Each structure stands twice: as structure tokens, then as C-alpha cells.
């Protein structure tokens, strides 16, 4: 499967959700539209606290600004 790079500066939708009962209860998620396929893609990570979730989102923003997919940035 080929991973497509988003265009430089692609707009990410992001959110943090608290999921009670999980050992890492904070889910950080980014979503974006691939302009070539018109598909909405997403990547998420479960993290132990809200600060860690926000740091993960910041890494995803920086990666998108450099043209790196969140999938590759999170690997």
C-alpha cells in the first residue's frame, strides 16, 4: 500500500477525547482530506494524559507543515 504525502500545509482537523476506563484514556486524533482521492484520512493515538495528547497533536501539525503524512510522523 502506497502512503500518499499530503500537500505542504494541509489543514488538519484535530481533537482530544477522554475515554474512561482505558490505561491510556486520552485519544488524540488528526484528520485531513487527500485532495487527489477526496478521501478523509485519519490517525489517532491513545495517550496517558492530556499534555501528552497535546504534544502528539503538535508533532502532527509540524509534520503536516513539512509535507509529511501523520501516518509516517507517528511511526
Amino acid at each position: 500500500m502506497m502512503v500518499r504525502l499530503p500537500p505542504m500545509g494541509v489543514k488538519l482537523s484535530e481533537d482530544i477525547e477522554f475515554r474512561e476506563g482505558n490505561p491510556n484514556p486520552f485519544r488524540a486524533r488528526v484528520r485531513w482530506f487527500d485532495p487527489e482521492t477526496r478521501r478523509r484520512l485519519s490517525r489517532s493515538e491513545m495517550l496517558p494524559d492530556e499534555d501528552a495528547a497535546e504534544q502528539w497533536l503538535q508533532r502532527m501539525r509540524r509534520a503536516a507543515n513539512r509535507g509529511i503524512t501523520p501516518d509516517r510522523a507517528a511511526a
Side-chain angles (χ1 to χ4, degrees):
M1 177 177 162
M2 183 178 145
V3 176
R4 294 181 188 263
L5 294 176
M8 203 63 96
V10 67
K11 181 176 173 15
L12 297 177
S13 297
E14 48 189 69
D15 63 273
I16 297 174
E17 178 183 5
F18 178 73
R19 293 186 161 192
E20 191 172 341
N22 290 311
N24 291 318
F26 289 87
R27 182 187 71 173
R29 177 176 62 174
V30 292
R31 296 184 291 174
W32 69 99
F33 281 101
D34 181 328
E36 290 183 25
T37 65
R38 296 183 176 238
R39 291 178 54 210
R40 187 164 189 157
L41 305 172
S42 71
R43 175 70 183 185
S44 65
E45 186 85 20
M46 297 299 290
L47 298 152
D49 58 49
E50 196 165 2
D51 287 338
E54 183 56 43
Q55 289 174 7
W56 186 85
L57 289 176
Q58 288 174 4
R59 281 197 348 257
M60 297 301 108
R61 278 185 226 122
R62 285 193 303 270
N65 286 336
R66 293 189 319 259
I68 300 170
T69 63
D71 281 337
R72 285 196 177 187

Coordinates of all heavy atoms in Angstrom, one line a residue:
M1 N 0.8 -1.2 0.0 CA 0.0 0.0 0.0 C 0.9 1.2 0.0 O 1.7 1.4 0.8 CB -0.9 0.0 1.2 CG -1.7 1.2 1.4 SD -2.8 1.0 2.8 CE -3.2 2.7 3.1
M2 N 0.7 2.1 -0.9 CA 1.5 3.4 -1.0 C 0.9 4.4 -0.1 O -0.3 4.7 -0.1 CB 1.4 3.8 -2.5 CG 2.3 5.1 -2.7 SD 2.3 5.5 -4.4 CE 2.3 7.2 -4.3
V3 N 1.7 5.1 0.7 CA 1.3 6.2 1.5 C 1.4 7.5 0.7 O 2.5 7.8 0.3 CB 2.1 6.2 2.8 CG1 1.7 7.4 3.7 CG2 1.9 4.9 3.6
R4 N 0.4 8.2 0.6 CA 0.4 9.5 -0.2 C 0.8 10.6 0.8 O 0.3 10.7 1.9 CB -0.9 9.8 -0.8 CG -1.3 8.8 -1.9 CD -2.6 9.3 -2.5 NE -3.1 8.3 -3.4 CZ -2.9 8.3 -4.7 NH1 -2.3 9.3 -5.2 NH2 -3.4 7.4 -5.5
L5 N 1.7 11.5 0.4 CA 2.0 12.6 1.2 C 1.0 13.7 0.9 O 0.6 14.0 -0.2 CB 3.4 13.2 0.8 CG 4.6 12.3 1.1 CD1 5.9 12.9 0.5 CD2 4.7 12.0 2.5
P6 N 0.5 14.4 2.0 CA -0.4 15.5 1.8 C 0.3 16.7 1.2 O 1.5 16.7 1.4 CB -1.0 15.7 3.2 CG 0.1 15.3 4.1 CD 0.8 14.1 3.4
P7 N -0.4 17.6 0.6 CA 0.3 18.8 0.1 C 0.9 19.5 1.3 O 0.4 19.4 2.4 CB -0.8 19.6 -0.6 CG -2.0 18.8 -0.4 CD -1.8 17.6 0.3
M8 N 1.9 20.3 1.0 CA 2.5 21.1 2.1 C 1.5 22.0 2.7 O 0.6 22.6 2.1 CB 3.6 22.0 1.4 CG 4.6 22.5 2.3 SD 5.6 21.2 3.0 CE 7.0 21.2 1.9
G9 N 1.4 21.9 4.1 CA 0.5 22.8 4.8 C -0.9 22.3 4.8 O -1.8 23.1 5.0
V10 N -1.2 21.0 4.6 CA -2.6 20.5 4.5 C -3.2 20.9 5.9 O -2.6 20.9 6.9 CB -2.6 19.0 4.3 CG1 -2.0 18.2 5.4 CG2 -4.0 18.5 4.0
K11 N -4.5 21.2 5.8 CA -5.2 21.6 7.0 C -5.7 20.3 7.8 O -6.3 19.4 7.2 CB -6.5 22.4 6.7 CG -7.3 22.8 7.9 CD -8.4 23.7 7.5 CE -9.4 24.1 8.6 NZ -9.1 23.9 9.9
L12 N -5.3 20.2 9.0 CA -5.7 19.1 9.9 C -6.8 19.5 10.8 O -6.8 20.6 11.3 CB -4.5 18.7 10.7 CG -3.2 18.2 10.1 CD1 -2.1 17.9 11.1 CD2 -3.5 17.0 9.2
S13 N -7.8 18.6 10.9 CA -8.8 18.7 12.0 C -8.3 17.9 13.1 O -7.8 16.8 12.9 CB -10.1 18.1 11.5 OG -10.6 18.8 10.4
E14 N -8.4 18.4 14.3 CA -7.8 17.6 15.4 C -8.7 17.7 16.6 O -9.5 18.6 16.8 CB -6.4 18.2 15.8 CG -6.4 19.7 15.9 CD -5.0 20.3 16.0 OE1 -4.2 20.2 15.0 OE2 -4.7 20.8 17.1
D15 N -8.6 16.7 17.4 CA -9.4 16.6 18.7 C -8.7 15.7 19.7 O -7.9 14.9 19.3 CB -10.8 16.2 18.4 CG -11.0 14.8 17.9 OD1 -10.9 14.6 16.7 OD2 -11.1 13.9 18.7
I16 N -9.1 15.9 20.9 CA -8.6 15.1 22.0 C -9.9 14.6 22.7 O -10.8 15.4 23.1 CB -7.7 15.8 23.0 CG1 -6.4 16.3 22.3 CG2 -7.4 14.9 24.2 CD1 -5.5 17.2 23.2
E17 N -10.0 13.3 22.9 CA -11.2 12.7 23.6 C -10.8 11.9 24.8 O -9.8 11.2 24.7 CB -11.9 11.8 22.6 CG -13.1 11.2 23.2 CD -13.8 10.2 22.1 OE1 -13.3 10.0 21.0 OE2 -14.8 9.7 22.5
F18 N -11.5 12.1 25.9 CA -11.2 11.3 27.1 C -12.0 10.0 27.1 O -13.3 10.1 26.9 CB -11.5 12.1 28.4 CG -11.3 11.3 29.6 CD1 -10.0 11.1 30.1 CD2 -12.3 10.8 30.4 CE1 -9.8 10.3 31.3 CE2 -12.1 10.1 31.5 CZ -10.9 9.8 32.0
R19 N -11.4 8.9 27.2 CA -12.1 7.6 27.1 C -11.9 6.9 28.5 O -10.9 6.2 28.6 CB -11.7 6.8 26.0 CG -12.1 7.4 24.6 CD -11.7 6.4 23.5 NE -12.5 6.8 22.3 CZ -12.5 6.1 21.3 NH1 -11.9 4.9 21.2 NH2 -13.2 6.5 20.2
E20 N -12.8 7.0 29.3 CA -12.7 6.5 30.7 C -12.5 5.0 30.7 O -13.1 4.3 29.8 CB -13.9 6.8 31.5 CG -13.8 6.6 33.0 CD -15.0 7.1 33.7 OE1 -15.7 8.0 33.2 OE2 -15.2 6.6 34.9
G21 N -11.7 4.5 31.6 CA -11.6 3.0 31.7 C -10.4 2.4 31.0 O -10.1 1.3 31.1
N22 N -9.7 3.2 30.2 CA -8.5 2.8 29.4 C -7.3 3.2 30.2 O -7.2 4.2 30.9 CB -8.5 3.5 28.1 CG -9.5 3.0 27.1 OD1 -9.7 1.8 27.0 ND2 -10.3 3.9 26.5
P23 N -6.2 2.3 30.1 CA -5.0 2.7 30.8 C -4.3 4.0 30.2 O -3.7 4.7 30.9 CB -4.0 1.5 30.5 CG -4.7 0.6 29.5 CD -6.2 1.1 29.4
N24 N -4.5 4.2 28.9 CA -4.2 5.5 28.3 C -5.5 6.1 27.8 O -5.9 5.9 26.6 CB -3.2 5.2 27.1 CG -1.9 4.7 27.6 OD1 -1.3 5.2 28.5 ND2 -1.3 3.7 26.9
P25 N -6.1 6.9 28.6 CA -7.5 7.3 28.3 C -7.7 8.5 27.4 O -8.8 8.8 27.0 CB -8.1 7.7 29.7 CG -6.9 8.1 30.5 CD -5.7 7.3 30.0
F26 N -6.6 9.1 27.0 CA -6.8 10.3 26.1 C -6.4 10.0 24.7 O -5.3 9.6 24.3 CB -5.9 11.5 26.6 CG -6.3 12.1 27.8 CD1 -6.0 11.6 29.1 CD2 -7.2 13.2 27.8 CE1 -6.4 12.1 30.2 CE2 -7.7 13.7 29.0 CZ -7.3 13.2 30.2
R27 N -7.4 10.1 23.8 CA -7.2 9.8 22.4 C -7.0 11.1 21.6 O -7.9 11.9 21.6 CB -8.4 9.0 21.7 CG -8.1 8.7 20.3 CD -9.3 8.2 19.6 NE -10.2 9.2 19.4 CZ -11.3 9.1 18.7 NH1 -11.7 8.0 18.1 NH2 -12.2 10.2 18.5
A28 N -5.8 11.2 21.0 CA -5.5 12.4 20.2 C -5.7 11.9 18.8 O -5.3 10.9 18.4 CB -4.1 12.9 20.4
R29 N -6.5 12.7 17.9 CA -6.7 12.3 16.6 C -6.6 13.5 15.6 O -6.9 14.6 16.0 CB -8.2 11.8 16.5 CG -8.6 11.4 15.1 CD -9.9 10.8 15.0 NE -10.9 11.8 15.5 CZ -12.2 11.6 15.4 NH1 -12.7 10.5 15.0 NH2 -13.1 12.5 15.9
V30 N -6.0 13.2 14.5 CA -5.9 14.2 13.4 C -6.6 13.6 12.2 O -6.6 12.4 11.9 CB -4.5 14.6 13.0 CG1 -3.9 15.4 14.2 CG2 -3.6 13.5 12.7
R31 N -7.3 14.5 11.4 CA -8.0 14.0 10.2 C -7.7 15.1 9.1 O -7.5 16.2 9.4 CB -9.5 13.9 10.4 CG -9.8 12.8 11.4 CD -11.3 12.6 11.5 NE -11.9 13.8 12.2 CZ -13.2 13.9 12.4 NH1 -14.0 13.1 11.9 NH2 -13.6 15.0 13.0
W32 N -7.6 14.6 7.9 CA -7.4 15.5 6.8 C -8.0 14.9 5.5 O -8.3 13.7 5.4 CB -5.9 15.8 6.6 CG -5.1 14.6 6.1 CD1 -4.7 14.3 4.9 CD2 -4.6 13.5 6.9 NE1 -4.0 13.1 4.8 CE2 -3.9 12.6 6.1 CE3 -4.7 13.1 8.3 CZ2 -3.4 11.4 6.5 CZ3 -4.1 12.0 8.7 CH2 -3.5 11.1 7.9
F33 N -8.2 15.8 4.5 CA -8.7 15.3 3.2 C -7.5 15.2 2.2 O -6.7 16.1 2.1 CB -9.7 16.3 2.6 CG -11.0 16.2 3.2 CD1 -11.5 17.0 4.2 CD2 -11.9 15.1 2.8 CE1 -12.7 16.9 4.7 CE2 -13.2 15.0 3.4 CZ -13.6 15.9 4.3
D34 N -7.4 14.1 1.5 CA -6.5 13.9 0.5 C -7.1 14.5 -0.8 O -8.1 14.0 -1.3 CB -6.2 12.4 0.3 CG -5.2 12.1 -0.8 OD1 -5.1 12.9 -1.8 OD2 -4.5 11.1 -0.7
P35 N -6.5 15.6 -1.3 CA -7.1 16.2 -2.5 C -7.1 15.4 -3.8 O -8.0 15.6 -4.6 CB -6.2 17.5 -2.7 CG -5.0 17.2 -2.0 CD -5.3 16.2 -0.9
E36 N -6.2 14.4 -3.9 CA -6.2 13.6 -5.1 C -7.3 12.5 -5.0 O -8.0 12.3 -6.0 CB -4.9 12.8 -5.2 CG -3.7 13.8 -5.6 CD -2.4 13.0 -5.8 OE1 -2.5 11.8 -6.1 OE2 -1.4 13.7 -5.6
T37 N -7.5 11.9 -3.9 CA -8.5 10.8 -3.8 C -9.9 11.3 -3.2 O -10.9 10.6 -3.3 CB -8.1 9.7 -2.9 OG1 -7.9 10.2 -1.6 CG2 -6.8 9.1 -3.4
R38 N -9.8 12.5 -2.7 CA -11.0 13.1 -2.0 C -11.5 12.3 -0.8 O -12.6 12.3 -0.4 CB -12.1 13.4 -3.0 CG -11.7 14.4 -4.0 CD -12.9 14.7 -4.9 NE -12.5 15.8 -5.8 CZ -13.1 16.9 -5.9 NH1 -14.2 17.2 -5.2 NH2 -12.7 17.8 -6.8
R39 N -10.6 11.5 -0.3 CA -10.9 10.6 0.9 C -10.5 11.4 2.2 O -9.5 12.0 2.2 CB -10.2 9.3 0.8 CG -10.8 8.4 -0.3 CD -10.0 7.1 -0.4 NE -10.0 6.4 0.9 CZ -9.1 5.6 1.3 NH1 -8.0 5.3 0.5 NH2 -9.1 5.0 2.4
R40 N -11.2 11.2 3.2 CA -10.8 11.7 4.5 C -10.0 10.6 5.2 O -10.5 9.5 5.4 CB -12.1 12.1 5.3 CG -11.7 12.8 6.6 CD -12.8 13.4 7.2 NE -12.3 14.3 8.3 CZ -13.0 15.3 8.8 NH1 -14.1 15.7 8.2 NH2 -12.4 16.0 9.7
L41 N -8.8 11.0 5.6 CA -7.9 10.1 6.2 C -7.7 10.5 7.7 O -8.0 11.7 8.0 CB -6.5 10.1 5.5 CG -6.6 9.8 4.0 CD1 -5.2 10.0 3.4 CD2 -7.1 8.4 3.8
S42 N -7.3 9.6 8.5 CA -7.1 9.9 10.0 C -6.0 9.1 10.6 O -5.7 8.0 10.1 CB -8.4 9.8 10.7 OG -8.8 8.4 10.9
R43 N -5.6 9.6 11.7 CA -4.6 8.9 12.5 C -4.8 9.3 13.9 O -5.1 10.4 14.3 CB -3.2 9.3 12.1 CG -2.0 8.8 12.9 CD -1.9 7.3 12.7 NE -0.8 6.9 13.6 CZ -0.3 5.7 13.5 NH1 -0.7 4.8 12.7 NH2 0.6 5.4 14.4
S44 N -4.8 8.3 14.9 CA -5.0 8.6 16.3 C -4.0 7.8 17.1 O -3.4 6.9 16.7 CB -6.4 8.3 16.7 OG -6.7 6.9 16.6
E45 N -3.9 8.3 18.4 CA -3.0 7.6 19.3 C -3.7 7.8 20.7 O -4.2 8.8 21.1 CB -1.7 8.4 19.3 CG -0.6 7.8 20.1 CD 0.2 6.7 19.4 OE1 0.1 6.6 18.1 OE2 0.8 5.9 20.1
M46 N -3.6 6.7 21.5 CA -4.1 6.7 22.9 C -2.9 7.1 23.8 O -1.8 6.4 23.7 CB -4.6 5.4 23.3 CG -5.9 4.9 22.4 SD -7.3 6.0 22.6 CE -7.8 5.7 24.3
L47 N -3.1 8.1 24.6 CA -2.0 8.6 25.5 C -2.4 8.7 26.9 O -3.6 8.8 27.2 CB -1.6 9.9 24.9 CG -1.0 9.8 23.5 CD1 -1.2 11.1 22.7 CD2 0.4 9.4 23.5
P48 N -1.5 8.7 27.9 CA -1.8 8.7 29.3 C -2.4 9.9 29.9 O -3.1 9.9 30.9 CB -0.5 8.4 30.0 CG 0.6 8.9 29.0 CD 0.0 8.7 27.6
D49 N -2.1 11.1 29.3 CA -2.7 12.4 29.9 C -2.9 13.4 28.8 O -2.4 13.2 27.6 CB -1.8 12.9 31.0 CG -0.4 13.2 30.6 OD1 -0.1 13.8 29.5 OD2 0.6 12.7 31.3
E50 N -3.6 14.5 29.1 CA -3.9 15.5 28.1 C -2.7 16.2 27.6 O -2.6 16.6 26.4 CB -4.9 16.5 28.7 CG -5.6 17.3 27.7 CD -6.8 18.0 28.2 OE1 -7.1 17.9 29.4 OE2 -7.4 18.7 27.4
D51 N -1.7 16.4 28.4 CA -0.4 17.1 28.0 C 0.3 16.2 26.9 O 0.7 16.8 25.9 CB 0.5 17.3 29.1 CG 0.1 18.5 30.0 OD1 -0.7 19.3 29.6 OD2 0.5 18.5 31.2
A52 N 0.3 14.9 27.1 CA 0.9 14.1 26.1 C 0.1 14.1 24.8 O 0.7 14.1 23.7 CB 1.0 12.6 26.6
A53 N -1.2 14.1 24.9 CA -2.0 14.2 23.7 C -1.8 15.5 23.0 O -1.7 15.5 21.7 CB -3.5 14.1 24.1
E54 N -1.7 16.6 23.7 CA -1.4 17.9 23.0 C 0.0 17.9 22.4 O 0.1 18.4 21.2 CB -1.5 19.0 24.0 CG -1.3 20.4 23.4 CD -2.3 20.7 22.2 OE1 -3.5 20.4 22.3 OE2 -1.8 21.3 21.2
Q55 N 0.9 17.3 23.0 CA 2.3 17.2 22.4 C 2.2 16.4 21.1 O 2.9 16.7 20.1 CB 3.3 16.6 23.4 CG 3.6 17.5 24.5 CD 4.5 16.9 25.6 OE1 4.9 15.8 25.4 NE2 4.7 17.6 26.7
W56 N 1.5 15.3 21.1 CA 1.3 14.5 19.9 C 0.7 15.3 18.8 O 1.1 15.2 17.6 CB 0.5 13.2 20.3 CG 0.4 12.2 19.1 CD1 1.3 11.2 18.9 CD2 -0.6 12.1 18.2 NE1 0.9 10.5 17.8 CE2 -0.3 11.0 17.3 CE3 -1.8 12.8 17.9 CZ2 -1.1 10.7 16.2 CZ3 -2.6 12.4 16.8 CH2 -2.2 11.4 16.0
L57 N -0.4 16.0 19.1 CA -1.0 16.9 18.1 C 0.0 17.9 17.5 O 0.0 18.1 16.3 CB -2.2 17.6 18.7 CG -3.4 16.7 19.0 CD1 -4.5 17.6 19.6 CD2 -4.0 16.0 17.7
Q58 N 0.8 18.5 18.4 CA 1.8 19.4 17.9 C 2.8 18.8 16.9 O 3.1 19.4 15.9 CB 2.6 20.1 19.1 CG 1.7 21.0 19.9 CD 2.4 21.5 21.1 OE1 3.6 21.2 21.4 NE2 1.7 22.3 21.9
R59 N 3.2 17.5 17.2 CA 4.1 16.8 16.3 C 3.4 16.6 15.0 O 4.0 16.7 13.9 CB 4.5 15.5 16.9 CG 5.6 15.6 17.9 CD 6.3 14.2 18.2 NE 5.7 13.0 17.7 CZ 5.0 12.1 18.5 NH1 4.8 12.4 19.8 NH2 4.6 11.0 18.0
M60 N 2.1 16.3 15.0 CA 1.4 16.0 13.7 C 1.3 17.3 12.9 O 1.4 17.3 11.7 CB 0.0 15.5 14.0 CG 0.0 14.1 14.7 SD 0.9 12.8 13.7 CE 2.3 12.6 14.7
R61 N 1.0 18.5 13.6 CA 0.9 19.8 12.9 C 2.3 20.1 12.3 O 2.3 20.5 11.1 CB 0.6 20.9 13.9 CG -0.8 21.0 14.3 CD -1.1 22.2 15.2 NE -1.9 21.8 16.2 CZ -1.6 21.8 17.5 NH1 -0.5 22.3 18.0 NH2 -2.5 21.4 18.4
R62 N 3.4 19.9 13.0 CA 4.7 20.2 12.4 C 5.0 19.3 11.2 O 5.5 19.8 10.2 CB 5.8 20.1 13.5 CG 5.8 21.2 14.5 CD 7.1 21.2 15.3 NE 7.3 19.9 16.0 CZ 6.9 19.7 17.3 NH1 6.2 20.6 17.9 NH2 7.1 18.5 17.8
A63 N 4.6 18.1 11.3 CA 4.8 17.1 10.2 C 4.0 17.6 9.0 O 4.5 17.6 7.9 CB 4.5 15.7 10.6
A64 N 2.8 17.9 9.2 CA 1.9 18.3 8.1 C 2.5 19.6 7.4 O 2.4 19.7 6.2 CB 0.5 18.5 8.5
N65 N 3.0 20.5 8.2 CA 3.6 21.7 7.7 C 4.8 21.4 6.8 O 5.2 22.2 5.9 CB 3.9 22.7 8.8 CG 2.7 23.3 9.3 OD1 1.7 23.4 8.7 ND2 2.8 23.8 10.6
R66 N 5.5 20.3 7.1 CA 6.6 19.9 6.3 C 6.2 18.9 5.1 O 7.1 18.4 4.4 CB 7.7 19.2 7.1 CG 8.3 20.2 8.1 CD 9.5 19.5 8.9 NE 9.3 18.1 9.3 CZ 9.0 17.7 10.5 NH1 8.8 18.6 11.5 NH2 8.9 16.4 10.7
G67 N 5.0 18.6 5.0 CA 4.5 17.7 3.9 C 4.6 16.2 4.3 O 4.6 15.4 3.4
I68 N 4.7 15.9 5.5 CA 4.8 14.5 6.0 C 3.5 14.1 6.5 O 2.8 14.7 7.2 CB 5.9 14.4 7.1 CG1 7.2 14.8 6.6 CG2 5.9 12.9 7.6 CD1 8.3 15.0 7.7
T69 N 3.0 12.9 6.0 CA 1.7 12.4 6.5 C 1.8 12.1 8.0 O 2.8 11.7 8.5 CB 1.3 11.1 5.8 OG1 2.3 10.1 6.1 CG2 1.2 11.3 4.3
P70 N 0.6 12.3 8.7 CA 0.6 11.9 10.1 C 0.9 10.4 10.3 O 1.4 10.0 11.3 CB -0.9 12.2 10.4 CG -1.2 13.4 9.6 CD -0.5 13.1 8.3
D71 N 0.5 9.6 9.3 CA 0.9 8.1 9.4 C 2.4 7.9 9.6 O 2.8 7.2 10.4 CB 0.4 7.3 8.2 CG -1.1 7.0 8.3 OD1 -1.6 7.1 9.4 OD2 -1.7 6.8 7.3
R72 N 3.1 8.6 8.7 CA 4.6 8.5 8.8 C 5.2 9.2 10.0 O 6.1 8.7 10.6 CB 5.3 9.0 7.6 CG 5.1 8.1 6.4 CD 6.0 8.5 5.3 NE 5.8 7.5 4.2 CZ 6.6 7.5 3.2 NH1 7.5 8.3 3.0 NH2 6.4 6.6 2.3
A73 N 4.6 10.3 10.4 CA 5.1 11.0 11.6 C 4.9 10.3 12.9 O 5.7 10.3 13.8 CB 4.4 12.4 11.7
A74 N 3.8 9.5 12.9 CA 3.5 8.8 14.2 C 4.3 7.4 14.2 O 4.3 6.8 15.3 CB 2.0 8.5 14.2
A75 N 4.9 7.0 13.1 CA 5.6 5.7 13.1 C 6.9 5.8 13.9 O 7.5 6.7 14.2 CB 5.8 5.3 11.7

